Amino acid sequence: LVQRPFNLPDSSVIRLTTARYFTPSGRSIQKPYDEGVAEYRKDLQKRLEHGELIYADSIHFPDSLRYLTNNKRLVYGGGGIMPDIFLPIDTLGTSDYYSRLSRRGVINSFTLDYMDNNRSRLKADFTTEDDFINKFVVDDDFMEKFIEHAEKEGVERDEEGLEASGDHIRVMLKAFIGRNLFDLNIYYRIISEVDRELQQAIQTMGDDMAFKNMLVSN
């Protein structure tokens, strides 16, 4: 959905739906709310339970969702759109430990404290985004300080969780610090390095013929 935010006097925000997204052939990419909002919100959990986000062959469409594009290509719709390229959900880097860190906002609080104590030095050491991306390293000592901070925030050290999520935590720490030092642009530059969907999209668009055929057939 295309939404426009409106700021309210109490500092809250209301998002008003102003439009929907359609492919060139007229298919809406939005899953309908026909069964109500509650069922709509349960859809992701159901898809996880059925394996649809992990195995492409677990996704089944009834014939009623068959759709021919303008170029007579058979596709399926009705509940959003089945992508041309299937990527299984990325479970690498996920753990209960990382979930607890996220729920308590530990990465954000740690990086804010770090910036308060080191902003002047960081500004002197890293004058450009490229400098920061190429030279700033979240080393083991930095991680230990983060883990100690997490313990103070009520998230106990979890070696198994660190083994699973350590690399992802390092990327997020660097991205949050970069955002606080510069702006949101560098945050996305850093996390894009581990964004599989984005990397796949870049690779696909780099193949001019394949990408052109994909656009035409939609």
Side-chain angles (χ1 to χ4, degrees), residues 38-157:
E39 285 301 314
Y40 181 91
R41 291 175 175 169
K42 292 178 183 177
D43 183 66
L44 181 60
Q45 184 60 37
K46 289 180 179 178
R47 292 173 63 198
L48 278 168
E49 293 171 355
H50 295 161
E52 294 181 26
L53 301 183
I54 301 174
Y55 308 105
D57 57 7
S58 294
I59 304 173
H60 303 289
F61 293 104
D63 288 343
S64 61
L65 298 183
R66 290 162 62 95
Y67 184 96
L68 290 177
T69 68
N70 293 338
N71 288 328
K72 306 304 180 185
R73 176 189 177 207
L74 176 63
V75 294
Y76 292 88
I81 291 178
M82 178 64 182
D84 293 284
I85 299 173
F86 176 82
L87 282 179
I89 188 172
D90 186 6
T91 57
L92 294 176
T94 60
S95 65
D96 288 340
Y97 180 64
Y98 184 76
S99 295
R100 292 196 299 273
L101 293 172
S102 298
R103 286 196 299 269
R104 289 182 175 268
V106 177
I107 293 177
N108 188 52
S109 63
F110 174 78
T111 52
L112 286 175
D113 287 348
Y114 178 77
M115 287 301 300
D116 285 343
N117 296 322
N118 297 276
R119 187 178 299 275
S120 297
R121 177 181 63 79
L122 290 170
K123 282 188 172 182
D125 290 345
F126 307 106
T127 57
T128 67
E129 289 186 6
D130 287 340
D131 275 346
F132 182 84
I133 289 174
N134 294 328
K135 298 177 182 177
F136 185 85
V137 177
V138 177
D139 57 21
D140 291 343
D141 288 340
F142 194 92
M143 278 293 289
E144 281 300 322
K145 292 177 182 177
F146 169 73
I147 294 167
E148 291 172 4
H149 174 85
E151 290 178 326
K152 293 177 182 177
E153 294 294 318
V155 181
E156 295 183 3
R157 187 188 190 101

Side-chain angles (χ1 to χ4, degrees), residues 197-208:
E197 288 83 0
L198 176 61
Q199 295 303 322
Q200 179 64 61
I202 292 172
Q203 179 182 335
T204 301
M205 289 187 290
D207 186 335
D208 292 341

